[in-house]
Amino acid sequence: MAAQQNLAGPSDSDTSSVSDQSVSSRSVNRSLRVAEKERRKNKASDPYVVALKYFSDVEAGTPVYGNDEVENNMVLVEKVAYSKGLSPEAISVMLEFGMSLRMGTSLCARVLKCLIPASVVPQEAVVRAVVWLGVGKLPISTQVLFIKWVLTIFDLIDAKDQLRAIYGFIFSFVTDENLCPFICHLLYLLTRKESVRVFRVRKLLELQSKLGRQPFLLHLLSLYKVFCPELVTLSIPSRMKSGFRNHNSTWKSALTGVQKRNGSQVALSNNPAFTIKDKTNSRKRKHYHLELPALSSVVNKEAQTEPSSSRKLLPLVQLHSFAQLLENMHRIELPAQMGSLLGSSLPLQYLDFVQDESALLRLNFWLGYALHEEFLFCGDGGALQTSEEALQFLNKLLSTQHFLQEGFSSSEAFLYKFLAVWDGSLLRPQILGLLSNVPVVPSSQIGRLLFEPLMQLFFTSSMFFKCGLMECLNNMLLKWLTWHSVYALEDDLDISLNSHTSINMTLSGFKDSVMELVDFAGRLSSVGLQLEGCHSLFLSFVLDFYETVCDMFLKYGLPLVVMPPPGVFYPAMCATDPVSVDRLAYIMYRYKVNLTSAKSQEKLTEQAFHISRETFREFNQYLVVMVNCLWNSKMFQPGMGVQLEEELLLKSNVPQYWTSFDLIHHPAFMSYAVDFHQKCWPGTKDMDLNSIKNSKPWSWYLEYLFTQGYDGLKQFVQSNINWQLTAGDKRGDSRSTQQT
Amino acid sequence: MSSLKPFSKLPALNTANILLVESEEQLQQSLAAALVEEASVTVNVRLAKSLPLPVENEESRPRIDLVVFIINLTSELSFQSAEASLKYLDPGYFLGKVCFMVTNARSASVPTERLDGVRKLAASLHCPLLFAEDQTSDGVTNATERLLTMLKVAAGLVPMATALYLSHLTRCTVPPDIDQPSFD
């Protein structure tokens, strides 16, 4: 809601007045100013204010050692910093004092360590400090410390236009071996298309040849490549190590504390996004990443003040309707923080339209970093406090992926790592949801990335996990098949999946992956059914999966037919609940429809594809078994899938054992048969179910079953059994389709 | 030094016995409390800091169906202790009656080498490796459920499944590091 208010902001304020800051930061500044004024009024003689004044006025060259005044003032500032955080003005003063080395280097590091912002960090202060970096008097460790600090508080810097303006200056530090990883990270965050230049690319490549393929260089280069592919000819590996690991836990924990203590006060004045979510205010800096930042962007100052500039950019935040988006499609400025895109639908529509590689890369980078930080690289006891936030974050991510109808590559990479250390219960619905969005995995890697961790989890977990995983695999298969049907190109049988990442896959490669997935699910369900004693709930999820599988050819145009393994077929056929048998009948009916149409198409086009004889053989065998069992009362006949020795069957003392799985005596339908018998012959004392088998009652019985809602059974019978009422005593025989 | 043997004693009717070995004794207690809640079978839980088990209780000790080594990844000692205890187990146990349970795997303070070390250990012994979230009660409940699933099979209470069969399906494999950039 706050975001909407924020969006509505510019309309009532004077839009023609050129501002160099977005609305949100303007209002932030205003409220800060008010707060600051109040504070000043209250505590005119506050020792903290005096201390700040001291630091802004102190002369260069004042001795540090034995100087009690510095020590006292420093302690005062530190105390405030660690308890409440420093105001933007205080940050400016202290940063200037520290970086100018007015009182030596030892104090500089100490100052940097206590620079905990209470709200935002003024951009000017950072720029000035960067300039001090160039003076060259700072020891290298302090330089690193400073850049790390900038990276940590990057999201809190109120604007970035001036920082972008000194891009070249910052870039010059890249040659410094110690600073390079951090500078690369900073550049990554600042880079825009205009900043990519030939000489910079050349410099980075030169560095790479010197330092080796460092992930931080590769990340920056990959961003450059996205902006200007013609300048970077380097091949970038598709799956990169998460490049920038420049987190600093001491600052983060300090920020955590400060933000927690300031609670509502900061939350209100700082960032509208803070108030969107929940009102508990247990915000932690470390989890700031999980907060979707507010949609605000840094407006290019020159573009607005100089009418001569060729392209005027329009920040996304100023768009309010879809029509506006369409009008301004060509001059959209992306927000400073890509994470803010996740929350709102308009920018997502834009993202989906333009297929802007750089935007997606930035979003992926942010997302991958956030996911890794929060779920794989937790601080102490991370799981405990984050659960609520993590839940919301992942739900947001899921809804975004549903909106875009595809997964992000960074969430995919994260999942593969997360599965390897997952306990199977933490955030289960979300993780399984993300998992079902995974784009097609090449068959060479699918086993290692997905199947091995999932198998270990599957067999050691409860039945509910097993059901959840089957559902997830079903969804995954559905998505893959949908992608295939959307993106498949007819001419060369080549499909390009996942429009943004342009993974190209041949049809046979895709078929292999689907095959692997179906086989894997088949293995899981066979053994799972065995371990769970053919539990009907689990069986229902397995049948869900095969309802997708049996229709792959007709519904999704994938020339592939895979039969269920015996470990699934027989438990379903002999299940004690009629619904499972009915669904199996439906599945077999769909298999038949798919196979016949594949067969006729094969004859028609003379090429296309080839379904193996083995598949037809399997299908025919299942069909014969099913018809024999349910219809002809010929269970346990030689040549069928289930065989038992004659003696053993006699020993069991079951009378007429061969009838025990027909539609009358099947454990799932027995109750219907009894009910039917009672309705048909009311008043007869001795119940003889076999009397139903006579021609007339049999047809009535079937009618009766079909009216109970067993449509699958109906379709199965109608399509497979040639049965006429007039045929007298001889009921129809199985007419298994001879398609081989 | 006596080693624990899987088949030296007769099993009791409808009973499963589990031994939890953890040097730090943190997760043990809560797991044990949750495990004995199981209603469908009698679950006996034995706790130990490390192996070998003391000789004096030898007689009264029931047959142990599943040995679980709980390793806290944030402590090197925990891993070493589990490693040292392994040699007091009869080889018969490694046919599906041993599993490793790891806590704190997602913590920032865990060096990746240690997790890799545990993986390699579990893979070389063909044992399953479970991960547990010991910080939350949901995590403990889930860990208990998973242990019970394995315990029931190991104690022979699940028809048509044996410990060796299950461990063949669930045993840990050493993944080639997916962190490594693949230059293909």
Side-chain angles (χ1 to χ4, degrees), chain A residues 380-388 426, chain B residues 106 133-137:
Chain A
D380 29 25
L384 205 61
Q385 305 95 355
T386 57
S387 52
E388 190 52 36
L426 184 72
Chain B
R106 302 183 301 121
E133 303 288 332
D134 61 334
Q135 316 263 346
T136 56
S137 61

Side-chain angles (χ1 to χ4, degrees), chain A residues 275-308:
Chain A
T275 49
I276 298 174
K277 292 294 191 52
D278 56 342
K279 308 280 186 278
T280 54
N281 293 320
S282 63
R283 197 81 50 232
K284 306 184 81 181
R285 171 63 186 96
K286 193 184 167 306
H287 307 129
Y288 182 73
H289 277 296
L290 279 191
E291 280 303 309
L292 301 178
L295 189 61
S296 69
S297 64
V298 185
V299 183
N300 208 348
K301 196 189 265 175
E302 307 91 83
Q304 295 221 341
T305 48
E306 292 170 28
S308 60

Side-chain angles (χ1 to χ4, degrees), chain A residues 687-703:
Chain A
M687 187 171 287
D688 178 22
L689 287 181
N690 280 326
S691 61
I692 302 178
K693 287 207 172 167
N694 295 322
S695 165
K696 235 188 191 113
W698 177 257
S699 70
W700 292 340
Y701 177 57
L702 282 182
E703 282 301 315

Side-chain angles (χ1 to χ4, degrees), chain A residues 373-429:
Chain A
E373 280 277 281
E374 299 306 325
F375 298 103
L376 285 172
F377 212 74
C378 312
D380 29 25
L384 205 61
Q385 305 95 355
T386 57
S387 52
E388 190 52 36
E389 264 172 86
L391 203 73
Q392 289 184 346
F393 177 74
L394 290 183
N395 281 335
K396 198 114 221 164
L397 180 59
L398 268 173
S399 68
T400 305
Q401 294 196 343
H402 283 158
F403 185 85
L404 294 175
Q405 298 192 352
E406 61 187 359
F408 293 107
S409 62
S410 55
S411 77
E412 187 194 353
F414 156 75
L415 271 178
Y416 297 147
K417 284 185 203 157
F418 189 75
L419 283 185
V421 294
W422 192 29
D423 76 334
S425 97
L426 184 72
L427 299 166
R428 187 192 293 169

Side-chain angles (χ1 to χ4, degrees), chain A residues 569-642:
Chain A
F569 178 79
Y570 287 102
M573 197 184 73
C574 304
T576 50
D577 58 319
V579 178
S580 300
V581 184
D582 177 63
R583 295 184 67 189
L584 181 72
Y586 172 75
I587 289 170
M588 290 304 288
Y589 160 71
R590 291 306 301 176
Y591 267 122
K592 181 179 172 179
V593 175
N594 273 269
L595 281 171
T596 20
S597 88
K599 188 90 179 166
S600 60
Q601 193 171 323
E602 202 172 4
K603 271 186 192 139
L604 215 68
T605 54
E606 284 296 321
Q607 45 106 33
F609 59 92
H610 184 69
I611 288 175
S612 77
R613 283 165 172 277
E614 186 59 22
T615 312
F616 283 109
R617 202 191 58 73
E618 268 179 74
F619 172 75
N620 283 334
Q621 194 187 350
Y622 282 153
L623 195 63
V624 169
V625 169
M626 215 159 151
V627 171
N628 272 345
C629 280
L630 296 178
W631 194 269
N632 294 335
S633 317
K634 286 187 202 157
M635 190 68 179
F636 307 116
Q637 289 234 328
M640 285 174 47
V642 182

Side-chain angles (χ1 to χ4, degrees), chain B residues 65-104:
Chain B
D65 295 307
L66 183 67
V67 182
V68 183
F69 290 96
I70 301 168
I71 298 173
N72 179 1
L73 271 194
T74 48
S75 120
E76 177 75 35
L77 202 67
S78 170
F79 177 39
Q80 284 169 350
S81 153
E83 214 175 3
S85 298
L86 279 170
K87 60 171 176 274
Y88 299 103
L89 278 182
D90 188 83
Y93 266 108
F94 294 100
L95 300 174
K97 287 173 179 268
V98 177
C99 89
F100 293 90
M101 179 166 262
V102 157
T103 61
N104 286 323

